[in-house]
Amino acid sequence: MTTPTILFQKSDDAKADTIVLGVFEKNTLSDMAEIVNDNLDGGIAAFLKDNTSFTAKSGQTIKMTVQGQSYNQIILLGLGDPKTLNTQDTENAGGKLFGALKVANAKQTNILLNGSVDYKNISATELAVHLAVGLHLKSYKFEKYKTGDKEKTSGVKKIVITTNAHLEATKSYKAHKSACDGVFLARDLINEPPNTLHPESYAELVKKELKPLEVEVEILDEKKMQKLGMGALLAVGQGSIRESRLVIMKWNGNKKSKKSPLALVGKGVTFDTGGISLKPGADMDLMKMDMGGSAAVVGAMKAIASRKAKANVIGIIGLVENMPSDRAYRPGDIITSYAGKTIEVLNTDAEGRLVLADALTYVQKKYNPDTIIDLATLTGAIMVALGYEYCGAFANDNDLWETISESADQTNEKFWRMPLDEAYRKEMESDVADLKNLGSLGRWGGACSAAGFLEHFIEGKTKWAHIDIAGTAWWKSDKPTTPKGGTGFAVRTLDAFVKNSYEK
């Protein structure tokens, strides 16, 4: 995938076929727009007077053709009210601007941001950087399997952002781009078809992507997991001809630190039929995204390693394919987890929690982290509660939740805290085994009871958060900074969390 080059500079002499000028509410021209308007003998003001549908609300764009200049078109970008403009508005505006540049076939673009504006919630550096982030995120395309001329889908080659804060913006954007590259990797993984991305190939792909970044990658095959006793994870994958895998990724960015590492744990069901408890046929193709939690972890590890984060982070992903066959586990089975707890299987489509259970136990036994964050497309129930806008976050520590929430706010990803309660833990106890994999109330409170199940596998005083991204890992329609398909949700928040908790 080829994305446009984005650069920052102070002078406005970049060669361009298209320039972009900011316009504020009530069609108030920015300083640079005023200068260009004067050069065009009031042409921009006259154009806006004739195009009353353009009101300069944040992210709104309109194209103006010009003659006799070094550039041949102007795109006016609405920035709304400068006193309320924030980073989220700016990223969304950048994403919408990329769409306008694509439609206008703008190959070389110069965005003119120089000038003095009374912004209240965003600095000049943040304005330039987050506009670039929005542009970059929206430039993502998954065209690996298209056989036509891929370059025809976008002519946008180079974008120069002219700003007085060019030096600060260049430095800041480098770190943001590392996070965006992690998002792109996560999107690629989610969008990959399940006939090519299965546990074995996924594990090898992780090694290929991360080892060059000095991330240590270890892969446990089924024989190793059987020897350890990972009966929960292996039960989920036993119906498939594809062998299961557990992948361990280690980033040692602060060798002098005596602090326990952060652990990131991801559910990686590369395709989920539901197993014997077969899902309905409608939309089953989307079940290739049931490894979205693992993709977020892999993407975060790439972001962290790319920017050489001064932190020690362990990433663990459990990779399985949940298929019905003569070998598949069944409702009514009782299996033994790596922690030694027995689990009554009531529904083979409640499989993600079984994968996570063994992965959570492994990371605690092997690495003794002080904090664990797990991510999973775990329940349809969280979508009943929160739809597609928010993920559900469960945390056993208030300070941990506050840092996650702060990190999410910084990256414009939406997290909503959900309750952990002894009642939900109790609901997951079985009459015939230690635990059962489905709550007594079915979908009612199902996201909470699923978190209650996982909480049984958190040892001692370990700080832990469970993030259910079932509604946010895949979008069926375009968003301002995200094309439809795999979103890469939570990668940026995890990267920000590492900065906020382990590098300050």
Side-chain angles (χ1 to χ4, degrees):
M1 180 184 67
T2 303
T3 57
T5 301
I6 301 177
L7 303 171
F8 303 85
Q9 68 176 35
K10 185 174 182 179
S11 62
D12 60 358
D13 58 355
K15 181 181 178 182
D17 54 69
T18 305
I19 64 170
V20 177
L21 300 168
V23 183
F24 300 107
E25 63 178 6
K26 298 180 182 179
N27 284 350
T28 303
L29 301 182
S30 64
D31 290 355
M32 292 305 299
E34 286 280 13
I35 292 172
V36 176
N37 182 55
D38 289 343
N39 290 340
L40 297 176
D41 298 323
I44 294 176
F47 177 77
L48 289 176
K49 190 174 181 180
D50 291 338
N51 289 272
T52 56
S53 62
F54 182 82
T55 59
K57 67 180 182 180
S58 183
Q60 189 179 18
T61 60
I62 190 169
K63 185 180 81 170
M64 175 182 170
T65 303
V66 296
Q67 294 179 340
Q69 304 295 326
S70 59
Y71 50 89
N72 54 43
Q73 58 187 352
I74 297 171
I75 291 180
L76 301 176
L77 174 65
L79 295 174
D81 182 353
K83 294 181 179 179
T84 61
L85 187 68
N86 56 34
T87 59
Q88 182 171 1
D89 293 336
T90 304
E91 287 186 8
N92 287 342
K96 292 176 181 178
L97 173 60
F98 184 82
L101 294 175
K102 189 174 173 181
V103 170
N105 197 30
K107 292 181 173 58
Q108 305 277 342
T109 300
N110 192 357
I111 303 173
L112 305 179
L113 293 182
N114 275 340
S116 57
V117 179
D118 185 20
Y119 298 112
K120 297 293 184 184
N121 300 314
I122 191 169
S123 67
T125 300
E126 289 172 329
L127 176 65
V129 168
H130 287 277
L131 191 68
V133 168
L135 285 158
H136 186 55
L137 286 173
K138 192 53 184 269
S139 71
Y140 174 85
K141 302 181 296 295
F142 187 75
E143 297 183 328
K144 181 177 178 181
Y145 297 97
K146 285 184 175 289
T147 59
D149 187 351
K150 299 175 186 180
E151 287 301 314
K152 285 183 179 179
T153 61
S154 174
V156 184
K157 303 295 184 186
K158 183 178 180 181
I159 300 171
V160 175
I161 299 177
T162 300
T163 171
N164 291 328
H166 64 291
L167 295 177
E168 299 91 338
T170 299
K171 182 179 179 180
S172 177
Y173 180 63
K174 185 177 180 181
H176 281 279
K177 188 177 181 300
S178 293
C180 291
D181 290 345
V183 171
F184 283 11
L185 174 57
R187 289 177 181 177
D188 281 346
L189 291 170
I190 297 169
N191 287 328
E192 190 72 23
N195 60 317
T196 61
L197 191 80
H198 46 79
E200 300 151 275
S201 63
Y202 191 171
E204 292 302 318
L205 192 153
V206 170
K207 184 187 292 186
K208 179 181 177 182
E209 285 283 341
L210 297 186
K211 286 196 76 173
L213 298 175
E214 300 181 2
V215 176
E216 297 177 36
V217 179
E218 180 183 2
I219 300 171
L220 302 188
D221 60 17
E222 286 197 347
K223 287 183 179 180
K224 291 178 181 177
M225 288 189 282
Q226 285 167 353
K227 189 174 181 179
L228 289 170
M230 291 188 174
L233 185 153
L234 289 171
V236 178
Q238 72 187 40
S240 173
I241 195 171
R242 305 288 191 183
E243 285 199 1
S244 301
R245 294 288 185 267
L246 189 79
V247 181
I248 302 99
M249 300 156 278
K250 292 179 277 188
W251 171 251
N252 297 310
N254 189 352
K255 293 180 174 61
K256 294 182 180 179
S257 175
K258 296 181 180 180
K259 187 176 182 179
S260 297
L262 167 68
L264 304 177
V265 179
K267 168 190 170 184
V269 180
T270 58
F271 192 75
D272 183 20
T273 66
I276 297 299
S277 305
L278 191 66
K279 291 178 180 290
D283 287 337
M284 195 190 281
D285 58 296
L286 297 183
M287 286 301 97
K288 69 178 184 177
M289 51 75 72
D290 208 23
M291 35 61 68
S294 67
V297 171
V298 175
M301 295 301 294
K302 178 170 184 175
I304 291 162
S306 294
R307 64 178 181 81
K308 304 296 183 186
K310 297 185 183 303
N312 299 326
V313 184
I314 307 293
I316 305 279
I317 54 173
L319 306 181
V320 302
E321 186 176 60
N322 187 20
M323 299 289 284
S325 74
D326 60 325
R327 302 180 306 279
Y329 78 133
R330 297 148 294 230
D333 283 359
I334 294 177
I335 58 180
T336 303
S337 68
Y338 182 35
K341 299 178 191 288
T342 56
I343 303 167
E344 178 189 11
V345 177
L346 296 180
N347 188 313
T348 63
D349 196 24
E351 86 299 330
R353 62 202 68 184
L354 303 179
V355 174
L356 288 175
D358 280 354
L360 288 168
T361 300
Y362 181 86
V363 78
Q364 289 170 98
K365 282 188 175 184
K366 187 76 180 283
Y367 298 104
N368 191 32
D370 67 345
T371 300
I372 302 173
I373 301 175
D374 78 66
L375 301 100
T377 51
L378 205 65
T379 67
I382 200 67
M383 298 166 68
V384 174
L386 300 175
Y388 296 98
E389 284 298 313
Y390 285 81
C391 73
F394 301 80
N396 67 359
D397 181 88
N398 288 333
D399 289 339
L400 172 58
W401 160 247
E402 289 298 332
T403 308
I404 291 173
S405 180
E406 175 192 353
S407 303
D409 287 344
Q410 290 170 355
T411 58
N412 305 312
E413 294 185 315
K414 296 180 180 180
F415 283 58
W416 190 266
R417 191 176 190 182
M418 301 289 288
L420 284 173
D421 193 281
E422 183 61 27
Y424 300 123
R425 280 175 54 93
K426 191 80 174 171
E427 188 181 336
M428 302 309 291
E429 295 176 0
S430 167
D431 292 335
V432 295
D434 297 326
L435 300 170
K436 56 189 178 183
N437 78 330
L438 197 67
S440 304
L441 299 177
R443 177 162 284 193
W444 302 113
C448 299
S449 59
F453 176 88
L454 294 175
E455 195 174 11
H456 281 278
F457 295 90
I458 301 302
E459 301 170 2
K461 296 182 179 180
T462 304
K463 290 184 286 186
W464 163 70
H466 160 59
I467 314 298
D468 192 336
I469 61 172
T472 55
W474 180 279
W475 283 336
K476 292 186 177 182
S477 59
D478 285 354
K479 298 280 186 173
T481 60
T482 308
K484 65 181 180 180
T487 65
F489 183 88
V491 170
R492 295 175 67 199
T493 294
L494 293 175
D495 181 53
F497 179 86
V498 170
K499 291 178 187 175
N500 293 331
S501 290
Y502 288 79
E503 295 184 271
K504 283 188 176 180

